[in-house]
């Protein structure tokens, strides 16, 4: 259990603590980093007992590691049905690294334009970062009060754009595109931040004209420190001179993902995770589970007579992150909800974020959360609501 500082008496869970009471098993609904499926965690543990050295201390140029890298690519390709004309990179720098890498690689000069569809926290940050290196044309659906409750119209893109940027699941705001847009063959290529939903639904690579899609690993495909970047082979080699090598698609592709020391252990974790996704039935199965899990929680909210509420209308509700308030955001009841959840091992519903404490809690239902674990949250939410009647 977390130690609160001597000067405060705040309950650890209200301070963002992620450790439940000693004898209770944790179910981690954090928005990221989050748990991996149990079988994946077991297989990761087993790598430490393998006859070969752990990938934590394998040279990134050793034959053992080259095999791990090949596996990571193979299972990623299989899990996501990546066509042959795309390169797969495991890079550094997380989602934010790609906020910079995308404009640096795809806008050849600071005068180049790109359309940024902004429908939440992360796409807004990406557009701000892009403005350091080029001219983003922002189409935003931000409301006057700073919230997001709809999507901008993608068809209004600027035709001179080098690319059209979007985030397919806005993790903080709880807005998801269940399918990527198909803007037609004459539209600029689509660049997608899939950090919090990649692998959880099918991708139509050609129809959606995907130029680049990326995901930081810490939501659905691994742990923090690795960014999966998938790049169509006509999209690299146009970078600005100032593009750092570590973020440069061309340099990393030409160096076969070993331009500098790759994140060896993270790549093995993602290889194991992608293998698990393939074995379970890949994107169609992950999507099926996501629909089941998110429906369970949204149904409780919708049938609660307003005891719980969620900000987004049905057609855009995220299957990955379910924001909800308790008793209209009443602080005392919300805190009681969090503490009693914690007592049952249900954690991560309110984590510390750079975006402050809003009235919404958030249940994140990534690949590492099972249907049974979601059932526990559902039962708890019903039980808590009943106790307040
Ligand atoms: C978490 C997240 C990010 C930020 O990723 P970092 O690895 O922390 O840089 C970016 N985009 C989306 C959609 C996310 O969910």
């Amino acid at each position: 259990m977390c130690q609160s500082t001597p000067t405060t008496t705040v309950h650890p869970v209200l301070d963002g603590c992620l450790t439940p009471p000693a004898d209770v098993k944790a179910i981690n609904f954090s928005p990221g980093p989050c748990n991996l499926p149990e079988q994946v965690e077991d297989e990761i543990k087993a790598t430490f007992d393998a006859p070969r050295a752990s990938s934590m201390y394998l040279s990134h140029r050793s034959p053992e590691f080259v095999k791990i890298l090949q596996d990571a690519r193979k299972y990623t390709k299989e899990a996501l049905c990546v066509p042959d004309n795309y390169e797969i990179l495991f890079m550094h720098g997380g989602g934010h690294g790609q906020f910079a890498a995308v404009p640096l690689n795809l806008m050849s000069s600071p005068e180049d334009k790109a359309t940024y569809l902004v429908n939440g926290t992360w796409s807004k940050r990406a557009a701000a970062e892009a403005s350091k290196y080029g001219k983003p044309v922002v189409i935003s659906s931000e409301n006057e009060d700073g919230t997001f409750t709809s999507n901008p119209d993608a068809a209004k893109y600027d035709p001179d754009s080098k690319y059209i940027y979007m985030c397919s699941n806005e993790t903080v705001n709880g807005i998801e595109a269940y399918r990527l847009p198909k803007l037609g063959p004459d539209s600029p290529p689509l660049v997608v931040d899939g950090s919090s939903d990649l692998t959880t639904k099918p991708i139509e690579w050609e129809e959606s004209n995907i130029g680049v899609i990326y995901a930081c690993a810490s939501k659905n495909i691994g742990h923090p420190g690795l960014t999966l970047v998938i790049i169509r082979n006509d999209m690299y080699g146009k970078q600005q001179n100032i593009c750092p090598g570590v973020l440069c698609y061309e340099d990393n592709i030409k160096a076969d993902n070993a331009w500098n020391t790759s994140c060896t252990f993270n790549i093995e974790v993602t290889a194991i995770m992608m293998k698990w996704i393939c074995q379970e039935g890949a994107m169609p199965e992950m999507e099926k589970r996501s629909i089941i899990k998110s429906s369970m929680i949204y149904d409780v909210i919708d049938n609660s007579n307003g005891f719980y509420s969620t900000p987004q209308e049905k057609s855009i509700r995220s299957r990955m992150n379910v924001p909800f308030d308790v008793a209209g955001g009443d602080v005392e009841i919300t805190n009681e909800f969090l503490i009693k959840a914690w007592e049952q091992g249900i954690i991560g519903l309110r984590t510390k974020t750079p975006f402050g404490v809003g009235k919404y809690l958030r249940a994140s239902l990534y690949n590492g959360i099972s249907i049974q674990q979601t059932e526990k949250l559902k039962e708890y939410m019903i039980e808590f609501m009943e106790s307040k009647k």
Side-chain angles (χ1 to χ4, degrees), residues 31-32 93-99 122-123 125 165 167-172 193-197 214-219 224-227 321 366:
H96 286 77
Q98 292 305 307
F99 294 173
W122 294 121
S123 44
R125 275 207 174 188
Y165 182 97
C167 174
S168 47
N169 182 68
E170 277 290 359
T171 320
V172 178
D193 176 359
S195 289
S196 53
D197 63 336
Y214 68 84
C216 63
S218 58
K219 277 75 183 235
L226 172 153
T227 320
N321 315 94
Y366 302 125

PDB file of all heavy atoms in Angstrom, residues 31-32 93-99 122-123 125 165 167-172 193-197 214-219 224-227 321 366, ligand 1:
ATOM      1  N   PRO A  31      -5.818   4.278 -17.657  1.00  0.00           N
ATOM      2  CA  PRO A  31      -5.773   4.651 -19.083  1.00  0.00           C
ATOM      3  C   PRO A  31      -4.422   4.392 -19.733  1.00  0.00           C
ATOM      4  O   PRO A  31      -4.261   4.565 -20.934  1.00  0.00           O
ATOM      5  CB  PRO A  31      -6.082   6.155 -19.051  1.00  0.00           C
ATOM      6  CG  PRO A  31      -5.689   6.600 -17.684  1.00  0.00           C
ATOM      7  CD  PRO A  31      -5.933   5.444 -16.770  1.00  0.00           C
ATOM      8  N   GLY A  32      -3.429   4.002 -18.989  1.00  0.00           N
ATOM      9  CA  GLY A  32      -2.125   3.654 -19.530  1.00  0.00           C
ATOM     10  C   GLY A  32      -1.038   4.332 -18.732  1.00  0.00           C
ATOM     11  O   GLY A  32      -1.225   5.478 -18.342  1.00  0.00           O
ATOM     12  N   GLY A  93      10.383   7.162 -27.929  1.00  0.00           N
ATOM     13  CA  GLY A  93       9.802   8.499 -27.789  1.00  0.00           C
ATOM     14  C   GLY A  93       8.296   8.542 -27.569  1.00  0.00           C
ATOM     15  O   GLY A  93       7.734   9.630 -27.470  1.00  0.00           O
ATOM     16  N   GLY A  94       7.649   7.391 -27.512  1.00  0.00           N
ATOM     17  CA  GLY A  94       6.224   7.375 -27.193  1.00  0.00           C
ATOM     18  C   GLY A  94       5.369   8.088 -28.226  1.00  0.00           C
ATOM     19  O   GLY A  94       5.827   8.430 -29.327  1.00  0.00           O
ATOM     20  N   GLY A  95       4.117   8.329 -27.844  1.00  0.00           N
ATOM     21  CA  GLY A  95       3.204   9.041 -28.738  1.00  0.00           C
ATOM     22  C   GLY A  95       3.719  10.444 -29.037  1.00  0.00           C
ATOM     23  O   GLY A  95       3.707  10.908 -30.179  1.00  0.00           O
ATOM     24  N   HIS A  96       4.229  11.109 -27.991  1.00  0.00           N
ATOM     25  CA  HIS A  96       4.714  12.475 -28.186  1.00  0.00           C
ATOM     26  C   HIS A  96       5.875  12.545 -29.165  1.00  0.00           C
ATOM     27  O   HIS A  96       6.032  13.526 -29.876  1.00  0.00           O
ATOM     28  CB  HIS A  96       5.116  13.098 -26.849  1.00  0.00           C
ATOM     29  CG  HIS A  96       3.939  13.468 -25.990  1.00  0.00           C
ATOM     30  ND1 HIS A  96       3.219  12.549 -25.283  1.00  0.00           N
ATOM     31  CD2 HIS A  96       3.356  14.663 -25.756  1.00  0.00           C
ATOM     32  CE1 HIS A  96       2.247  13.164 -24.618  1.00  0.00           C
ATOM     33  NE2 HIS A  96       2.296  14.445 -24.901  1.00  0.00           N
ATOM     34  N   GLY A  97       6.720  11.526 -29.175  1.00  0.00           N
ATOM     35  CA  GLY A  97       7.812  11.482 -30.157  1.00  0.00           C
ATOM     36  C   GLY A  97       7.251  11.548 -31.564  1.00  0.00           C
ATOM     37  O   GLY A  97       7.775  12.250 -32.442  1.00  0.00           O
ATOM     38  N   GLN A  98       6.140  10.849 -31.795  1.00  0.00           N
ATOM     39  CA  GLN A  98       5.534  10.859 -33.130  1.00  0.00           C
ATOM     40  C   GLN A  98       4.801  12.171 -33.424  1.00  0.00           C
ATOM     41  O   GLN A  98       4.655  12.531 -34.586  1.00  0.00           O
ATOM     42  CB  GLN A  98       4.590   9.662 -33.302  1.00  0.00           C
ATOM     43  CG  GLN A  98       5.327   8.333 -33.339  1.00  0.00           C
ATOM     44  CD  GLN A  98       6.419   8.289 -34.399  1.00  0.00           C
ATOM     45  OE1 GLN A  98       6.180   8.576 -35.563  1.00  0.00           O
ATOM     46  NE2 GLN A  98       7.638   7.953 -33.992  1.00  0.00           N
ATOM     47  N   PHE A  99       4.339  12.864 -32.382  1.00  0.00           N
ATOM     48  CA  PHE A  99       3.740  14.187 -32.638  1.00  0.00           C
ATOM     49  C   PHE A  99       4.757  15.063 -33.389  1.00  0.00           C
ATOM     50  O   PHE A  99       4.391  15.864 -34.248  1.00  0.00           O
ATOM     51  CB  PHE A  99       3.350  14.905 -31.334  1.00  0.00           C
ATOM     52  CG  PHE A  99       2.238  14.257 -30.541  1.00  0.00           C
ATOM     53  CD1 PHE A  99       1.911  14.732 -29.275  1.00  0.00           C
ATOM     54  CD2 PHE A  99       1.512  13.190 -31.055  1.00  0.00           C
ATOM     55  CE1 PHE A  99       0.882  14.154 -28.533  1.00  0.00           C
ATOM     56  CE2 PHE A  99       0.490  12.610 -30.318  1.00  0.00           C
ATOM     57  CZ  PHE A  99       0.185  13.089 -29.057  1.00  0.00           C
ATOM     58  N   TRP A 122      -5.375  14.645 -27.304  1.00  0.00           N
ATOM     59  CA  TRP A 122      -4.121  14.210 -27.935  1.00  0.00           C
ATOM     60  C   TRP A 122      -3.949  14.790 -29.327  1.00  0.00           C
ATOM     61  O   TRP A 122      -2.844  15.164 -29.718  1.00  0.00           O
ATOM     62  CB  TRP A 122      -4.030  12.687 -27.961  1.00  0.00           C
ATOM     63  CG  TRP A 122      -3.915  12.102 -26.593  1.00  0.00           C
ATOM     64  CD1 TRP A 122      -4.764  11.211 -26.011  1.00  0.00           C
ATOM     65  CD2 TRP A 122      -2.893  12.359 -25.609  1.00  0.00           C
ATOM     66  NE1 TRP A 122      -4.337  10.906 -24.740  1.00  0.00           N
ATOM     67  CE2 TRP A 122      -3.202  11.591 -24.469  1.00  0.00           C
ATOM     68  CE3 TRP A 122      -1.755  13.172 -25.589  1.00  0.00           C
ATOM     69  CZ2 TRP A 122      -2.412  11.611 -23.314  1.00  0.00           C
ATOM     70  CZ3 TRP A 122      -0.963  13.183 -24.437  1.00  0.00           C
ATOM     71  CH2 TRP A 122      -1.296  12.410 -23.321  1.00  0.00           C
ATOM     72  N   SER A 123      -5.025  14.895 -30.089  1.00  0.00           N
ATOM     73  CA  SER A 123      -4.862  15.489 -31.422  1.00  0.00           C
ATOM     74  C   SER A 123      -4.557  16.977 -31.297  1.00  0.00           C
ATOM     75  O   SER A 123      -3.841  17.554 -32.118  1.00  0.00           O
ATOM     76  CB  SER A 123      -6.089  15.225 -32.301  1.00  0.00           C
ATOM     77  OG  SER A 123      -7.293  15.428 -31.616  1.00  0.00           O
ATOM     78  N   ARG A 125      -2.746  18.309 -28.886  1.00  0.00           N
ATOM     79  CA  ARG A 125      -1.306  18.369 -28.585  1.00  0.00           C
ATOM     80  C   ARG A 125      -0.469  18.107 -29.837  1.00  0.00           C
ATOM     81  O   ARG A 125       0.579  18.725 -30.041  1.00  0.00           O
ATOM     82  CB  ARG A 125      -0.935  17.312 -27.540  1.00  0.00           C
ATOM     83  CG  ARG A 125      -1.149  17.754 -26.153  1.00  0.00           C
ATOM     84  CD  ARG A 125      -0.190  17.017 -25.225  1.00  0.00           C
ATOM     85  NE  ARG A 125      -0.326  17.574 -23.899  1.00  0.00           N
ATOM     86  CZ  ARG A 125       0.461  17.270 -22.877  1.00  0.00           C
ATOM     87  NH1 ARG A 125       1.435  16.404 -23.020  1.00  0.00           N
ATOM     88  NH2 ARG A 125       0.282  17.825 -21.715  1.00  0.00           N
ATOM     89  N   TYR A 165      -4.176  14.373 -40.607  1.00  0.00           N
ATOM     90  CA  TYR A 165      -3.845  13.758 -39.325  1.00  0.00           C
ATOM     91  C   TYR A 165      -5.104  13.563 -38.485  1.00  0.00           C
ATOM     92  O   TYR A 165      -5.958  14.447 -38.418  1.00  0.00           O
ATOM     93  CB  TYR A 165      -2.874  14.667 -38.567  1.00  0.00           C
ATOM     94  CG  TYR A 165      -2.424  14.112 -37.240  1.00  0.00           C
ATOM     95  CD1 TYR A 165      -1.212  13.438 -37.115  1.00  0.00           C
ATOM     96  CD2 TYR A 165      -3.212  14.252 -36.099  1.00  0.00           C
ATOM     97  CE1 TYR A 165      -0.790  12.920 -35.900  1.00  0.00           C
ATOM     98  CE2 TYR A 165      -2.810  13.731 -34.882  1.00  0.00           C
ATOM     99  CZ  TYR A 165      -1.588  13.070 -34.793  1.00  0.00           C
ATOM    100  OH  TYR A 165      -1.194  12.562 -33.582  1.00  0.00           O
ATOM    101  N   CYS A 167      -6.674  11.285 -34.721  1.00  0.00           N
ATOM    102  CA  CYS A 167      -6.475  10.344 -33.618  1.00  0.00           C
ATOM    103  C   CYS A 167      -7.717   9.449 -33.599  1.00  0.00           C
ATOM    104  O   CYS A 167      -8.835   9.951 -33.470  1.00  0.00           O
ATOM    105  CB  CYS A 167      -6.347  11.113 -32.308  1.00  0.00           C
ATOM    106  SG  CYS A 167      -6.256  10.060 -30.863  1.00  0.00           S
ATOM    107  N   SER A 168      -7.517   8.146 -33.749  1.00  0.00           N
ATOM    108  CA  SER A 168      -8.688   7.267 -33.915  1.00  0.00           C
ATOM    109  C   SER A 168      -9.392   6.968 -32.602  1.00  0.00           C
ATOM    110  O   SER A 168     -10.548   6.541 -32.597  1.00  0.00           O
ATOM    111  CB  SER A 168      -8.287   5.976 -34.624  1.00  0.00           C
ATOM    112  OG  SER A 168      -7.122   5.435 -34.057  1.00  0.00           O
ATOM    113  N   ASN A 169      -8.721   7.180 -31.486  1.00  0.00           N
ATOM    114  CA  ASN A 169      -9.416   7.079 -30.193  1.00  0.00           C
ATOM    115  C   ASN A 169      -8.844   8.127 -29.247  1.00  0.00           C
ATOM    116  O   ASN A 169      -7.675   8.057 -28.882  1.00  0.00           O
ATOM    117  CB  ASN A 169      -9.259   5.689 -29.572  1.00  0.00           C
ATOM    118  CG  ASN A 169     -10.010   5.571 -28.257  1.00  0.00           C
ATOM    119  OD1 ASN A 169     -11.242   5.599 -28.229  1.00  0.00           O
ATOM    120  ND2 ASN A 169      -9.291   5.458 -27.146  1.00  0.00           N
ATOM    121  N   GLU A 170      -9.683   9.090 -28.900  1.00  0.00           N
ATOM    122  CA  GLU A 170      -9.242  10.127 -27.966  1.00  0.00           C
ATOM    123  C   GLU A 170      -9.426   9.607 -26.548  1.00  0.00           C
ATOM    124  O   GLU A 170     -10.513   9.635 -25.966  1.00  0.00           O
ATOM    125  CB  GLU A 170     -10.000  11.434 -28.211  1.00  0.00           C
ATOM    126  CG  GLU A 170      -9.397  12.271 -29.335  1.00  0.00           C
ATOM    127  CD  GLU A 170      -8.027  12.897 -28.986  1.00  0.00           C
ATOM    128  OE1 GLU A 170      -7.538  12.700 -27.864  1.00  0.00           O
ATOM    129  OE2 GLU A 170      -7.457  13.572 -29.868  1.00  0.00           O
ATOM    130  N   THR A 171      -8.316   9.156 -25.996  1.00  0.00           N
ATOM    131  CA  THR A 171      -8.249   8.436 -24.726  1.00  0.00           C
ATOM    132  C   THR A 171      -8.852   9.212 -23.558  1.00  0.00           C
ATOM    133  O   THR A 171      -9.519   8.642 -22.702  1.00  0.00           O
ATOM    134  CB  THR A 171      -6.756   8.171 -24.442  1.00  0.00           C
ATOM    135  OG1 THR A 171      -6.121   7.810 -25.665  1.00  0.00           O
ATOM    136  CG2 THR A 171      -6.561   7.077 -23.422  1.00  0.00           C
ATOM    137  N   VAL A 172      -8.570  10.502 -23.505  1.00  0.00           N
ATOM    138  CA  VAL A 172      -9.024  11.310 -22.363  1.00  0.00           C
ATOM    139  C   VAL A 172     -10.510  11.636 -22.498  1.00  0.00           C
ATOM    140  O   VAL A 172     -11.267  11.578 -21.544  1.00  0.00           O
ATOM    141  CB  VAL A 172      -8.199  12.615 -22.268  1.00  0.00           C
ATOM    142  CG1 VAL A 172      -8.699  13.490 -21.122  1.00  0.00           C
ATOM    143  CG2 VAL A 172      -6.719  12.299 -22.106  1.00  0.00           C
ATOM    144  N   ASP A 193      -2.964   8.507 -35.251  1.00  0.00           N
ATOM    145  CA  ASP A 193      -2.505   8.173 -33.902  1.00  0.00           C
ATOM    146  C   ASP A 193      -3.453   7.103 -33.364  1.00  0.00           C
ATOM    147  O   ASP A 193      -4.578   7.388 -32.978  1.00  0.00           O
ATOM    148  CB  ASP A 193      -2.534   9.424 -33.010  1.00  0.00           C
ATOM    149  CG  ASP A 193      -2.153   9.110 -31.560  1.00  0.00           C
ATOM    150  OD1 ASP A 193      -1.889   7.935 -31.242  1.00  0.00           O
ATOM    151  OD2 ASP A 193      -2.135  10.053 -30.733  1.00  0.00           O
ATOM    152  N   GLY A 194      -2.988   5.857 -33.379  1.00  0.00           N
ATOM    153  CA  GLY A 194      -3.798   4.743 -32.879  1.00  0.00           C
ATOM    154  C   GLY A 194      -3.291   4.265 -31.531  1.00  0.00           C
ATOM    155  O   GLY A 194      -3.456   3.098 -31.177  1.00  0.00           O
ATOM    156  N   SER A 195      -2.696   5.187 -30.761  1.00  0.00           N
ATOM    157  CA  SER A 195      -2.049   4.788 -29.498  1.00  0.00           C
ATOM    158  C   SER A 195      -2.962   3.990 -28.579  1.00  0.00           C
ATOM    159  O   SER A 195      -2.518   3.077 -27.903  1.00  0.00           O
ATOM    160  CB  SER A 195      -1.558   6.032 -28.754  1.00  0.00           C
ATOM    161  OG  SER A 195      -0.459   6.596 -29.419  1.00  0.00           O
ATOM    162  N   SER A 196      -4.235   4.355 -28.530  1.00  0.00           N
ATOM    163  CA  SER A 196      -5.086   3.688 -27.549  1.00  0.00           C
ATOM    164  C   SER A 196      -6.115   2.753 -28.171  1.00  0.00           C
ATOM    165  O   SER A 196      -6.986   2.246 -27.460  1.00  0.00           O
ATOM    166  CB  SER A 196      -5.772   4.736 -26.657  1.00  0.00           C
ATOM    167  OG  SER A 196      -6.435   5.696 -27.431  1.00  0.00           O
ATOM    168  N   ASP A 197      -6.023   2.479 -29.480  1.00  0.00           N
ATOM    169  CA  ASP A 197      -6.992   1.519 -30.052  1.00  0.00           C
ATOM    170  C   ASP A 197      -6.416   0.603 -31.133  1.00  0.00           C
ATOM    171  O   ASP A 197      -7.109  -0.322 -31.558  1.00  0.00           O
ATOM    172  CB  ASP A 197      -8.230   2.263 -30.606  1.00  0.00           C
ATOM    173  CG  ASP A 197      -7.881   3.199 -31.751  1.00  0.00           C
ATOM    174  OD1 ASP A 197      -6.714   3.632 -31.841  1.00  0.00           O
ATOM    175  OD2 ASP A 197      -8.766   3.495 -32.570  1.00  0.00           O
ATOM    176  N   TYR A 214       0.531   4.945 -36.092  1.00  0.00           N
ATOM    177  CA  TYR A 214       1.462   4.650 -34.990  1.00  0.00           C
ATOM    178  C   TYR A 214       0.707   4.446 -33.690  1.00  0.00           C
ATOM    179  O   TYR A 214      -0.455   4.849 -33.556  1.00  0.00           O
ATOM    180  CB  TYR A 214       2.509   5.755 -34.842  1.00  0.00           C
ATOM    181  CG  TYR A 214       1.977   7.080 -34.357  1.00  0.00           C
ATOM    182  CD1 TYR A 214       1.797   7.323 -32.989  1.00  0.00           C
ATOM    183  CD2 TYR A 214       1.653   8.096 -35.240  1.00  0.00           C
ATOM    184  CE1 TYR A 214       1.318   8.542 -32.534  1.00  0.00           C
ATOM    185  CE2 TYR A 214       1.171   9.318 -34.793  1.00  0.00           C
ATOM    186  CZ  TYR A 214       1.005   9.530 -33.445  1.00  0.00           C
ATOM    187  OH  TYR A 214       0.527  10.730 -32.982  1.00  0.00           O
ATOM    188  N   ALA A 215       1.392   3.829 -32.742  1.00  0.00           N
ATOM    189  CA  ALA A 215       0.811   3.632 -31.414  1.00  0.00           C
ATOM    190  C   ALA A 215       1.926   3.534 -30.397  1.00  0.00           C
ATOM    191  O   ALA A 215       2.877   2.761 -30.581  1.00  0.00           O
ATOM    192  CB  ALA A 215      -0.024   2.350 -31.375  1.00  0.00           C
ATOM    193  N   CYS A 216       1.821   4.322 -29.331  1.00  0.00           N
ATOM    194  CA  CYS A 216       2.720   4.069 -28.209  1.00  0.00           C
ATOM    195  C   CYS A 216       2.270   2.736 -27.616  1.00  0.00           C
ATOM    196  O   CYS A 216       1.109   2.364 -27.713  1.00  0.00           O
ATOM    197  CB  CYS A 216       2.684   5.201 -27.191  1.00  0.00           C
ATOM    198  SG  CYS A 216       1.112   5.469 -26.369  1.00  0.00           S
ATOM    199  N   ALA A 217       3.198   1.999 -27.017  1.00  0.00           N
ATOM    200  CA  ALA A 217       2.877   0.610 -26.665  1.00  0.00           C
ATOM    201  C   ALA A 217       2.039   0.473 -25.410  1.00  0.00           C
ATOM    202  O   ALA A 217       1.412  -0.566 -25.198  1.00  0.00           O
ATOM    203  CB  ALA A 217       4.174  -0.182 -26.509  1.00  0.00           C
ATOM    204  N   SER A 218       1.975   1.520 -24.592  1.00  0.00           N
ATOM    205  CA  SER A 218       1.536   1.305 -23.210  1.00  0.00           C
ATOM    206  C   SER A 218       0.030   1.143 -23.014  1.00  0.00           C
ATOM    207  O   SER A 218      -0.425   1.020 -21.891  1.00  0.00           O
ATOM    208  CB  SER A 218       2.045   2.447 -22.336  1.00  0.00           C
ATOM    209  OG  SER A 218       1.572   3.680 -22.828  1.00  0.00           O
ATOM    210  N   LYS A 219      -0.754   1.099 -24.103  1.00  0.00           N
ATOM    211  CA  LYS A 219      -2.188   0.874 -23.929  1.00  0.00           C
ATOM    212  C   LYS A 219      -2.577  -0.555 -24.317  1.00  0.00           C
ATOM    213  O   LYS A 219      -3.022  -1.318 -23.475  1.00  0.00           O
ATOM    214  CB  LYS A 219      -2.999   1.883 -24.744  1.00  0.00           C
ATOM    215  CG  LYS A 219      -3.187   3.231 -24.071  1.00  0.00           C
ATOM    216  CD  LYS A 219      -1.968   4.120 -24.081  1.00  0.00           C
ATOM    217  CE  LYS A 219      -2.172   5.417 -23.342  1.00  0.00           C
ATOM    218  NZ  LYS A 219      -1.890   6.612 -24.129  1.00  0.00           N
ATOM    219  N   PRO A 224       5.418   1.005 -21.676  1.00  0.00           N
ATOM    220  CA  PRO A 224       5.958   2.260 -22.180  1.00  0.00           C
ATOM    221  C   PRO A 224       7.426   2.168 -22.586  1.00  0.00           C
ATOM    222  O   PRO A 224       8.203   1.428 -21.988  1.00  0.00           O
ATOM    223  CB  PRO A 224       5.803   3.224 -20.997  1.00  0.00           C
ATOM    224  CG  PRO A 224       5.262   2.458 -19.862  1.00  0.00           C
ATOM    225  CD  PRO A 224       4.886   1.106 -20.310  1.00  0.00           C
ATOM    226  N   GLY A 225       7.783   2.933 -23.604  1.00  0.00           N
ATOM    227  CA  GLY A 225       9.173   2.957 -24.051  1.00  0.00           C
ATOM    228  C   GLY A 225       9.319   2.569 -25.505  1.00  0.00           C
ATOM    229  O   GLY A 225      10.372   2.743 -26.100  1.00  0.00           O
ATOM    230  N   LEU A 226       8.274   2.040 -26.087  1.00  0.00           N
ATOM    231  CA  LEU A 226       8.321   1.628 -27.489  1.00  0.00           C
ATOM    232  C   LEU A 226       7.155   2.284 -28.222  1.00  0.00           C
ATOM    233  O   LEU A 226       6.068   2.425 -27.668  1.00  0.00           O
ATOM    234  CB  LEU A 226       8.205   0.104 -27.561  1.00  0.00           C
ATOM    235  CG  LEU A 226       8.044  -0.596 -28.916  1.00  0.00           C
ATOM    236  CD1 LEU A 226       8.601  -2.013 -28.826  1.00  0.00           C
ATOM    237  CD2 LEU A 226       6.599  -0.672 -29.386  1.00  0.00           C
ATOM    238  N   THR A 227       7.413   2.687 -29.447  1.00  0.00           N
ATOM    239  CA  THR A 227       6.332   3.186 -30.295  1.00  0.00           C
ATOM    240  C   THR A 227       6.338   2.394 -31.586  1.00  0.00           C
ATOM    241  O   THR A 227       7.355   2.337 -32.282  1.00  0.00           O
ATOM    242  CB  THR A 227       6.522   4.676 -30.654  1.00  0.00           C
ATOM    243  OG1 THR A 227       7.006   5.360 -29.501  1.00  0.00           O
ATOM    244  CG2 THR A 227       5.213   5.295 -31.095  1.00  0.00           C
ATOM    245  N   ASN A 321     -12.081   3.612 -23.626  1.00  0.00           N
ATOM    246  CA  ASN A 321     -12.074   4.426 -22.410  1.00  0.00           C
ATOM    247  C   ASN A 321     -13.486   4.929 -22.162  1.00  0.00           C
ATOM    248  O   ASN A 321     -14.034   5.649 -22.980  1.00  0.00           O
ATOM    249  CB  ASN A 321     -11.142   5.631 -22.574  1.00  0.00           C
ATOM    250  CG  ASN A 321      -9.809   5.251 -23.209  1.00  0.00           C
ATOM    251  OD1 ASN A 321      -9.657   5.357 -24.428  1.00  0.00           O
ATOM    252  ND2 ASN A 321      -8.876   4.790 -22.435  1.00  0.00           N
ATOM    253  N   TYR A 366      -8.645  -1.930 -22.253  1.00  0.00           N
ATOM    254  CA  TYR A 366      -7.731  -2.361 -23.309  1.00  0.00           C
ATOM    255  C   TYR A 366      -7.671  -3.890 -23.392  1.00  0.00           C
ATOM    256  O   TYR A 366      -8.297  -4.589 -22.602  1.00  0.00           O
ATOM    257  CB  TYR A 366      -6.339  -1.790 -23.038  1.00  0.00           C
ATOM    258  CG  TYR A 366      -6.297  -0.274 -22.943  1.00  0.00           C
ATOM    259  CD1 TYR A 366      -5.761   0.367 -21.830  1.00  0.00           C
ATOM    260  CD2 TYR A 366      -6.783   0.517 -23.977  1.00  0.00           C
ATOM    261  CE1 TYR A 366      -5.702   1.751 -21.751  1.00  0.00           C
ATOM    262  CE2 TYR A 366      -6.730   1.909 -23.914  1.00  0.00           C
ATOM    263  CZ  TYR A 366      -6.190   2.512 -22.796  1.00  0.00           C
ATOM    264  OH  TYR A 366      -6.140   3.877 -22.716  1.00  0.00           O
TER     265      TYR A 366
HETATM  266  C1  LIG B   1      -1.334   7.922 -24.337  1.00  0.00           C
HETATM  267  C2  LIG B   1      -1.529   8.587 -25.629  1.00  0.00           C
HETATM  268  C3  LIG B   1      -0.547   9.426 -26.187  1.00  0.00           C
HETATM  269  C4  LIG B   1       0.708   9.828 -25.435  1.00  0.00           C
HETATM  270  O1  LIG B   1       1.667   8.871 -25.483  1.00  0.00           O
HETATM  271  P1  LIG B   1       3.058   9.015 -24.722  1.00  0.00           P
HETATM  272  O2  LIG B   1       3.655   7.671 -24.946  1.00  0.00           O
HETATM  273  O3  LIG B   1       2.776   9.344 -23.298  1.00  0.00           O
HETATM  274  O4  LIG B   1       3.837  10.084 -25.396  1.00  0.00           O
HETATM  275  C5  LIG B   1      -0.784   9.934 -27.448  1.00  0.00           C
HETATM  276  N1  LIG B   1      -1.907   9.676 -28.116  1.00  0.00           N
HETATM  277  C6  LIG B   1      -2.884   8.898 -27.598  1.00  0.00           C
HETATM  278  C7  LIG B   1      -4.119   8.651 -28.383  1.00  0.00           C
HETATM  279  C8  LIG B   1      -2.727   8.333 -26.341  1.00  0.00           C
HETATM  280  O5  LIG B   1      -3.686   7.567 -25.818  1.00  0.00           O
END
